[in-house]
Amino acid sequence: MCGRFTQKYTWQELVDLYQLTQSPQNLRPNYNVCRTDPVSVIIPGTSGLFLMPMRWGLIPRWWKKSLKELPATFNARVETVAEKPMFRDAFRRNRCIIPASGYFEWQDTAEGKQPYYITPRNGSVLTFAGLWEDWRDRVNNDTIASCTMIITKANSFVSAIHDRMPVILEPENIGPCCRTMRERKY
């Protein structure tokens, strides 16, 4: 399970990797993204891919209770994402990619939990598979865009630390992922 990650990259790195079509943005690094924090997420718009802020922790569009009553939805297991009520509608309609510089996993030790920071050796941007949804707050009529990160069984490198990890898309798989995402009108 990925509960913290980092987003530290330049606008040009994102344009080069994802061919973003919007005007340049001044990106602020975040070295400790926690659940419910705003994160930068890439979704398709009518004229290409767009970077936009979203709340990390998916709020299904059908959710009627308060956000305080929402269970943890910052990760969605790849094995059950298509069936779980919290994620299945977003899985069918709203896929996204979440750029990251790295992520943290904790290992239980005799002295307590030991954090490990996992990042590409070459410093490149990681691309996590995700889902997103727009939710309308019925109390104040605000719309909140939210997302979740899809996680899977750990690979041989990460399994020495933790049993789960984010689904990381290789650059050649970013295009097919984006073609399955729903466009948002801008």
Side-chain angles (χ1 to χ4, degrees), residues 25-46:
Q25 295 181 16
N26 186 15
L27 301 176
R28 299 178 100 158
N30 189 338
Y31 299 98
N32 190 21
V33 178
C34 305
R35 55 186 160 182
T36 74
D37 280 354
V39 297
S40 295
V41 177
I42 296 174
I43 64 170
T46 54

Side-chain angles (χ1 to χ4, degrees), residues 7-170:
Q7 290 189 311
K8 180 192 173 293
Y9 34 68
T10 66
W11 179 254
Q12 192 59 51
E13 285 176 301
L14 296 184
V15 168
D16 291 346
L17 184 58
Y18 305 118
Q19 287 83 50
L20 300 179
T21 57
Q22 70 199 93
S23 300
Q25 295 181 16
N26 186 15
L27 301 176
R28 299 178 100 158
N30 189 338
Y31 299 98
N32 190 21
V33 178
C34 305
R35 55 186 160 182
T36 74
D37 280 354
V39 297
S40 295
V41 177
I42 296 174
I43 64 170
T46 54
S47 62
L49 296 179
F50 285 85
L51 183 74
M52 68 176 290
M54 291 189 184
R55 175 193 188 271
W56 185 27
L58 190 87
I59 310 167
R61 68 175 39 190
W62 49 261
W63 188 254
K64 293 182 179 152
K65 299 178 183 177
S66 74
L67 290 183
K68 290 182 180 180
E69 298 175 84
L70 185 69
T73 57
F74 58 98
N75 288 162
R77 289 180 175 253
V78 72
E79 299 89 352
T80 59
V81 71
E83 297 103 34
K84 292 279 185 180
M86 286 292 192
F87 306 113
R88 69 178 169 220
D89 290 343
F91 180 73
R92 286 187 204 122
R93 286 192 312 271
N94 300 330
R95 298 185 188 185
C96 64
I97 49 182
I98 304 169
S101 305
Y103 67 99
F104 296 93
E105 289 295 0
W106 284 260
Q107 183 179 49
D108 290 323
T109 66
E111 296 82 32
K113 290 191 178 247
Q114 171 66 45
Y116 288 88
Y117 182 60
I118 301 164
T119 188
R121 188 176 299 176
N122 66 1
S124 62
V125 176
L126 291 169
T127 302
F128 296 153
L131 309 172
W132 69 277
E133 192 73 86
D134 279 332
W135 174 75
R136 172 151 282 140
D137 185 342
R138 289 165 177 80
V139 174
N140 59 21
N141 211 29
D142 287 341
T143 298
I144 298 174
S146 64
C147 67
T148 188
M149 184 183 299
I150 300 176
I151 60 168
T152 189
K153 184 178 176 187
N155 63 21
S156 59
F157 175 75
V158 176
S159 65
I161 301 165
H162 199 273
D163 64 335
R164 308 293 295 176
M165 65 180 278
V167 171
I168 300 172
L169 301 173
E170 295 298 326

